[in-house]
Amino acid sequence: HGEPFYAVIVESIDRLSRMTADATRIERDLEQRDIGLFAADEPMSTDATSVLTRRIKQGVAEWYVRDLIERSRRGMEESVRQGWHTGGRAPYGYLLEEHRHPNPAKAREGKRKHRLTLDPVRAPVALMIFEDYCVRRLGLGEIINKLNSDLARYPPPAANPTDEMALEKTWNRSQLWAMLRNPKYTGYNVWGRHDKRPGRPRIRPREQWVWSATPTHPAIVPKELFDQVDVRAQDNIDAAK
């Protein structure tokens, strides 16, 4: 709603966006409004050669981003297979055990890696939750009431990921459901469950998860018990129909 403008100037075309589709969409939107898009490192013209040069630069920029993502993913997958914790707070029932970084250069920088080890207080609570849901067939509401009836015996997860002593006041449904869906309780290291792209299902299909070939940390829940969670959930859906 301010003064009209007639051109947009960026330092380099890849500063507009490193993804070609996004950059060309913006360029097209500006063009339809008779607004020129110029880069400081390109000729101030819109002839065929300039357009070709711009498209090549955009393609190279997108290749760089995608190559970086692929290399990062390969590194993360290898870290998972080696049993290292991939970041974030430890699942309820586990603690983070610090190790010297296996890469000597990163070790010299003081960087550390972590593995999961059992929390002697919370691990039995996690197992009890799985057994209550799958074996004793209690509903989530019933389990929540049981846990909240004795918070000293069943301490809730930490409210602050950086402070294990900062506890939530009570248990809730989202905490339980996240635990029941977490395959790390089986002792296998798993990565890639969550899809954070807009418009996508929050949890990827199980066949897209990256699993370690063998268990990498102490199991709290037998894999057979973990697999029963989906069966029980489907039973609930069928019963509601």
Side-chain angles (χ1 to χ4, degrees):
H1 299 287
E3 293 296 323
F5 58 94
Y6 305 98
V8 174
I9 301 177
V10 293
E11 179 183 356
S12 178
I13 197 63
D14 61 8
R15 302 297 293 173
L16 183 65
S17 174
R18 290 187 178 272
M19 304 305 289
T20 304
D22 293 336
T24 53
R25 176 180 54 78
I26 295 171
E27 185 177 359
R28 178 62 175 167
D29 288 346
L30 291 172
E31 184 181 84
Q32 290 179 336
R33 292 167 172 78
D34 293 323
I35 299 172
L37 174 63
F38 301 97
D41 60 350
E42 296 177 2
M44 299 289 284
S45 65
T46 56
D47 58 27
T49 300
S50 298
V51 173
L52 176 61
T53 301
R54 174 174 292 183
R55 297 295 178 259
I56 292 173
K57 292 174 64 178
Q58 288 172 323
V60 171
E62 182 166 344
W63 169 86
Y64 177 83
V65 170
R66 292 184 181 276
D67 181 65
L68 187 63
I69 291 172
E70 288 174 5
R71 286 190 283 117
S72 176
R73 182 178 179 85
R74 287 194 297 269
M76 189 66 74
E77 289 176 354
E78 183 58 31
S79 183
V80 168
R81 294 187 180 102
Q82 292 177 4
W84 298 112
H85 183 60
T86 52
R89 67 198 299 180
Y92 183 91
Y94 287 104
L95 299 171
L96 293 180
E97 183 179 72
E98 189 174 89
H99 292 261
R100 179 182 175 84
H101 202 290
N103 183 312
K106 293 184 177 182
R108 287 193 294 270
E109 295 173 1
K111 294 183 178 180
R112 298 287 186 269
K113 295 279 252 182
H114 298 85
R115 295 187 186 277
L116 296 178
T117 186
L118 291 177
D119 180 333
V121 174
R122 294 172 176 81
V125 179
L127 175 59
M128 182 195 74
I129 289 171
F130 276 86
E131 291 177 336
D132 279 350
Y133 186 73
C134 297
V135 180
R136 289 180 278 274
R137 302 186 71 80
L138 299 181
L140 293 182
E142 294 175 293
I143 298 174
I144 290 171
N145 291 338
K146 175 180 178 178
L147 296 169
N148 287 335
S149 68
D150 193 345
L151 295 177
R153 185 178 181 185
Y154 310 125
N160 183 348
T162 62
D163 183 1
E164 287 297 328
M165 298 305 294
L167 299 180
E168 295 280 9
K169 292 182 178 180
T170 57
W171 288 84
N172 59 57
R173 185 176 295 265
S174 63
Q175 292 167 344
L176 286 190
W177 196 236
M179 289 176 62
L180 291 167
R181 291 291 192 179
N182 192 340
K184 290 186 178 181
Y185 286 110
T186 65
Y188 287 83
N189 205 10
V190 184
W191 178 75
R193 293 186 300 129
H194 298 92
D195 194 333
K196 299 179 181 179
R197 291 173 294 179
R200 302 275 183 156
R202 185 170 177 271
I203 301 295
R204 289 190 175 97
R206 186 176 294 197
E207 61 270 16
Q208 296 180 12
W209 301 354
V210 178
W211 292 70
S212 60
T214 58
T216 60
H217 53 267
I220 292 177
V221 176
K223 193 171 185 304
E224 297 76 15
L225 181 58
F226 175 78
D227 290 339
Q228 289 181 34
V229 171
D230 282 344
V231 176
R232 172 75 201 287
Q234 187 60 48
D235 288 345
N236 290 342
I237 293 174
D238 294 339
K241 291 181 179 179

